[in-house]
Amino acid sequence: MSFQTDVIALQKLKDASLWFIIIGVLALIGEVASVAAVVMAIVDLVLLFMMAIPKLRDAFQTFASTGKDVSRGFTGINLILPGIIIELIGGILAIAGIFSASLGLAAAGGVIVLLAAIVLFIAYLLIGLVIYNLGSFYNNDMLKIGGILIIIPFISFVGWILSYVSVDDIIRKLSGGTMMPQPYTAPSMYQPQVYQVGQGIIRLDGTVTLTLYSSIAVNIVSASIDNTLYTTTDVNPNMLNPGNNSITMRFLGVTGLVPGNNYYLTIYLSNGTSIKAVVTCTPT
């Protein structure tokens, strides 16, 4: 289910962001308290590879399962380990050169450390771009800013803080203004389900095409574009049959749609329930 998987992926991103925040804070403490710098660095590396990276990879994998392009994020994650290994080698050589009074060895170590910094910058650049694109997909400026700040060394943890905070707002919008989880309902032997499959589109003239899965036969009564006054009953077909249903809706008089932006719909069904759908604006 696209909507439910999106929520799961966002919650995983929030979890991963928390660990990157912790790592960033510990790194700052290590820089201020020089005596504890080595210990903090070791703790940071352990948390990075045992918690933060696996959780971020899991979040990206869940986003990928919904059809979102997060391939650059995987590349960025894969560059972190070699970047840190190169950095450690360069640091060891530089320190060895200093203690042995070998300017050549110290300079070589410095060059290798610089190369490592470039590799790690590229790694977080790719990760930050994926976070930024997710912010664009969900129309969330805070997540977009977070993605940009993640790219910048020394303040990247601020970007992770913004990513962490933005998730709740995105989930609130996806769930129609109420935070997950939804209120408890008594279990039944069988609960009908209707949900969006894949990504829908909305054209500049207000025509929407999307696919809905239904486990029962039910009518679509109407639909509305969230946070606007646009509603429609022009739905074809307006009957959902069990299985996947290709639906076309027409919103009349729509203006101000921006190509590339996502818009959220509320679709009202004849059984008294409503569902959420997301569509991307396309000029054609």
Side-chain angles (χ1 to χ4, degrees):
M1 304 177 206
S2 177
F3 163 71
Q4 292 174 335
T5 306
D6 274 337
V7 171
I8 292 171
L10 287 164
Q11 289 171 335
K12 289 180 178 180
L13 176 60
K14 182 178 180 179
D15 194 16
S17 297
L18 177 60
W19 285 104
F20 277 101
I21 294 169
I22 293 171
I23 290 169
V25 171
L26 290 177
L28 284 178
I29 294 174
E31 291 176 7
V32 174
S34 57
V35 176
V38 175
V39 175
M40 290 299 183
I42 294 173
V43 172
D44 268 4
L45 289 177
V46 171
L47 292 179
L48 180 66
F49 290 104
M50 295 297 293
M51 301 301 297
I53 288 179
K55 289 182 178 296
L56 184 60
R57 187 187 301 275
D58 187 25
F60 284 167
Q61 287 172 340
T62 308
F63 281 120
S65 71
T66 67
K68 297 176 182 63
D69 183 9
V70 293
S71 57
R72 287 183 295 186
F74 290 119
T75 302
I77 289 174
N78 292 335
L79 286 175
I80 293 177
L81 178 58
I84 289 178
I85 291 175
I86 295 171
E87 185 177 45
L88 290 174
I89 293 173
I92 291 172
L93 291 177
I95 293 172
I98 293 172
F99 279 99
S100 64
S102 172
L103 293 179
L105 188 60
V111 171
I112 293 174
V113 169
L114 178 60
L115 175 62
I118 294 173
V119 172
L120 290 172
F121 175 78
I122 293 173
Y124 284 100
L125 170 66
L126 295 174
I127 292 171
L129 288 175
V130 168
I131 301 297
Y132 177 88
N133 288 338
L134 289 172
S136 296
F137 180 85
Y138 293 112
N139 289 335
N140 187 277
D141 290 337
M142 187 179 296
L143 186 58
K144 290 165 66 175
I145 296 171
I148 294 172
L149 294 181
I150 285 170
I151 300 171
I152 304 175
F154 307 113
I155 63 169
S156 62
F157 78 96
V158 178
W160 290 112
I161 291 174
L162 294 181
S163 298
Y164 179 90
V165 173
S166 68
V167 167
D168 285 342
D169 182 54
I170 296 172
I171 293 177
R172 185 182 297 110
K173 289 180 180 177
L174 287 175
S175 57
T178 57
M179 285 297 297
M180 302 292 282
Q182 298 297 327
Y184 173 80
T185 55
S188 63
M189 295 298 294
Y190 174 76
Q191 292 185 341
Q193 292 183 331
V194 179
Y195 53 83
Q196 182 181 10
V197 177
Q199 180 70 21
I201 63 172
I202 182 169
R203 296 180 174 83
L204 294 177
D205 64 358
T207 300
V208 171
T209 56
L210 74 166
T211 301
L212 298 177
Y213 170 84
S214 180
S215 62
I216 58 171
V218 63
N219 286 327
I220 298 176
V221 177
S222 64
S224 62
I225 303 176
D226 289 1
N227 302 315
T228 74
L229 299 177
Y230 298 120
T231 63
T232 186
T233 56
D234 186 357
V235 181
N236 184 37
N238 64 356
M239 166 67 82
L240 297 178
N241 293 309
N244 289 341
N245 299 261
S246 296
I247 304 297
T248 300
M249 304 177 183
R250 292 180 176 84
F251 291 89
L252 298 179
V254 174
T255 60
L257 297 180
V258 179
N261 278 7
N262 294 312
Y263 296 89
Y264 299 96
L265 308 179
T266 301
I267 301 172
Y268 300 91
L269 307 177
S270 59
N271 62 1
T273 65
S274 64
I275 64 167
K276 291 292 180 180
V278 59
V279 292
T280 301
C281 182
T282 178
T284 57

